[in-house]
């Protein structure tokens, strides 16, 4: 009936569906959730576009990817400039001269470097065996204790001294007054929301919602010549080799009857005692829409990290040696499949930014076309 059946309507699956349809193939998309778009889904709540699965800010230096995504929506010029709150004080992010001035009252870059180097030297860390030692060796005690330690322990559910050092390979320090979180050339948020992008990608393609491919694989495999699977790879194999570990998130969404709650799109809460890691105020993503910005109410979401269990949404893969080795075993199984292609963050057990997702979809598309031609 179909040339391709694509499991999942997130950005990866939808990009691939669009490319294959444009090539002339008949495509069916199956989606387990009750909506398209995966984790980039945005929902209009009282005229505010709410990122239901956390903040999504598109950024890339790849012009091909930027030109592609701009086919489906006009983007505003939102620049991500988050703040961090520790106790009763706010700090600019990423770590830059504004941060250092707020922490030490120092505006000379050379003197800031001296402060950091002095703290690192005094710690006298001989060997790095965990994340805490890695972070301290890069930024010293003040930045670590104030802006990294509590946030990281909440995010991963373990003490920093119990976490592997590879989680923080480097910590960018900017010795300039620059609050732009990303270094990418192209940045922004779609003016009419990410859901509209996915709708336009899937225009003319049959989509079935509330369908769990893994519950009746043998049936769904008969519907198309080829399958593209973007779900969790261990779930595809019924966890036969074991379960891959993730961190999950819980969101509390609240309407506040005031025009602004925090005055910024994203504020991180770095104290361990504060149970959430950040608060998102969604109207501030819509910076080109004065009508939305002037609404007498606002919508926020609080983001709580949590241990993943079956049935939760998978957010962050725990890419330690044990899980990576298990993934490689599943990968070997997947290579033996005929006419089934695996891709996307869950099938690859890898965290992707949105531009990475599109690049990976381009790559798989080219591989598919090469293989079946």
């Amino acid at each position: 009936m179909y040339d391709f059946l694509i499991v999942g309507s997130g950005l990866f699956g939808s990009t691939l569906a669009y490319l294959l349809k444009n090539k002339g193939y008949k495509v069916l998309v199956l989606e387990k959730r009750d909506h398209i778009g995966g984790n980039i889904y945005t929902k209009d709540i009282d005229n505010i576009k709410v990122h239901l699965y956390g903040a999504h800010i598109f950024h890339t230096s790849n012009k091909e990817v930027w030109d592609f995504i701009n086919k489906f929506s006009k983007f505003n010029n939102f620049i991500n400039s988050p703040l961090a709150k520790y106790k009763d004080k706010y700090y600019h992010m990423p770590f830059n001269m504004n941060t250092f001035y707020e922490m030490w009252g120092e505006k000379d870059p050379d003197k800031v470097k001296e402060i950091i180097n002095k703290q690192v030297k005094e710690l006298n860390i001989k060997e790095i065996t965990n994340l805490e030692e890695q972070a301290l060796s890069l930024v010293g005690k003040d930045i670590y204790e104030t802006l990294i330690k509590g946030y990281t322990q909440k995010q991963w559910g373990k003490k920093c001294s119990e976490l592997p050092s590879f989680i923080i390979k480097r910590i960018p320090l900017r010795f300039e007054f620059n609050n732009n979180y990303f270094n990418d050339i192209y940045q922004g948020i779609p003016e009419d929301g990410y859901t509209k992008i996915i709708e336009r990608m899937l225009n003319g393609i049959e989509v079935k919602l509330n369908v769990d491919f893994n519950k009746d694989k043998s049936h769904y495999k008969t519907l198309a010549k080829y399958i593209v699977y973007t779900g969790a790879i261990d779930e595809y194999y019924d966890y036969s080799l074991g379960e891959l570990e993730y961190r999950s998130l819980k969101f509390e969404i609240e309407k506040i009857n005031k025009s602004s709650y925090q005055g910024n799109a994203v504020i991180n809460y770095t104290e361990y005692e504060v149970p959430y890691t950040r608060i998102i105020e969604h109207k501030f993503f819509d910076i080109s829409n004065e009508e939305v910005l002037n609404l007498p109410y606002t919508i926020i979401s609080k983001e709580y990290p949590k241990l993943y269990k079956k049935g939760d949404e998978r957010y962050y893969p725990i890419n330690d040696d044990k899980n990576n080795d298990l993934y490689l075993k599943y990968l070997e199984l997947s290579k033996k499949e005929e006419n089934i292609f695996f891709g996307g963050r869950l099938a690859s057990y890898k965290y992707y930014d949105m531009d990475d997702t599109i690049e990976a979809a381009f790559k798989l598309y080219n591989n598919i076309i090469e293989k079946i031609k």
Side-chain angles (χ1 to χ4, degrees), residues 184-226:
D184 290 300
I185 300 169
Y186 310 107
Q187 301 182 44
I189 291 176
E191 291 187 353
D192 50 4
Y194 288 103
T195 302
K196 290 294 183 183
I197 286 180
I198 301 300
E199 286 178 359
R200 290 163 188 152
M201 283 184 174
L202 297 177
N203 183 39
I205 296 171
E206 187 177 352
V207 179
K208 293 184 179 181
L209 302 177
N210 299 301
V211 175
D212 189 341
F213 172 84
N214 286 313
K215 287 187 175 177
D216 198 357
K217 284 196 286 283
S218 58
H219 165 65
Y220 293 120
K221 285 180 178 181
T222 67
L223 300 182
K225 297 176 186 175
Y226 304 101

Side-chain angles (χ1 to χ4, degrees), residues 95-97 100 109-110 112-113 116 173-177:
F95 304 144
N96 68 81
M97 286 303 299
F100 308 141
D110 289 335
V112 167
K113 292 175 186 177
I116 294 172
L173 299 174
R174 295 182 184 170
F175 299 100
E176 57 187 27
F177 291 90

Side-chain angles (χ1 to χ4, degrees), residues 121 135 233:
K121 187 175 181 180
I233 192 167

Side-chain angles (χ1 to χ4, degrees), residues 33 39 51-56 151-157 246-253 268 275-280 301-309 311-318 345 351:
R33 300 182 192 180
N39 285 354
H51 298 209
L52 284 192
Y53 300 94
H56 283 82
Y151 186 95
T152 304
Q153 291 184 171
K154 287 187 288 186
Q155 186 79 3
W156 294 101
Y246 288 85
R247 290 291 287 171
S248 189
L249 296 171
K250 180 184 76 171
F251 298 94
E252 287 183 357
I253 297 173
N268 294 348
Y276 42 86
T277 49
R278 59 182 178 173
I279 294 179
I280 301 163
S301 56
K302 294 178 180 177
E303 188 172 307
Y304 296 81
K306 56 178 288 195
L307 181 70
Y308 168 80
K309 62 181 186 302
D312 293 338
E313 296 298 340
R314 301 168 174 92
Y315 284 92
Y316 303 107
I318 300 178
R345 66 183 184 89
Y351 180 82

Side-chain angles (χ1 to χ4, degrees), residues 111-157:
K111 290 183 178 177
V112 167
K113 292 175 186 177
E114 288 177 10
I115 292 171
I116 294 172
N117 290 336
K118 182 172 183 289
Q119 289 189 7
V120 170
K121 187 175 181 180
E122 287 174 349
L123 290 165
N124 195 29
I125 297 171
K126 300 292 187 184
E127 183 181 0
I128 294 171
T129 60
N130 56 55
L131 184 148
E132 180 168 86
E133 292 168 343
Q134 173 79 341
L136 286 168
S137 70
L138 292 170
V139 297
K141 185 176 180 180
D142 289 352
I143 295 173
Y144 170 72
E145 294 282 351
T146 305
L147 300 175
I148 297 174
K149 183 178 181 179
Y151 186 95
T152 304
Q153 291 184 171
K154 287 187 288 186
Q155 186 79 3
W156 294 101

Side-chain angles (χ1 to χ4, degrees), residues 224-235:
K225 297 176 186 175
Y226 304 101
I227 308 289
V228 177
Y229 180 81
T230 75
I233 192 167
D234 56 346
E235 186 176 3

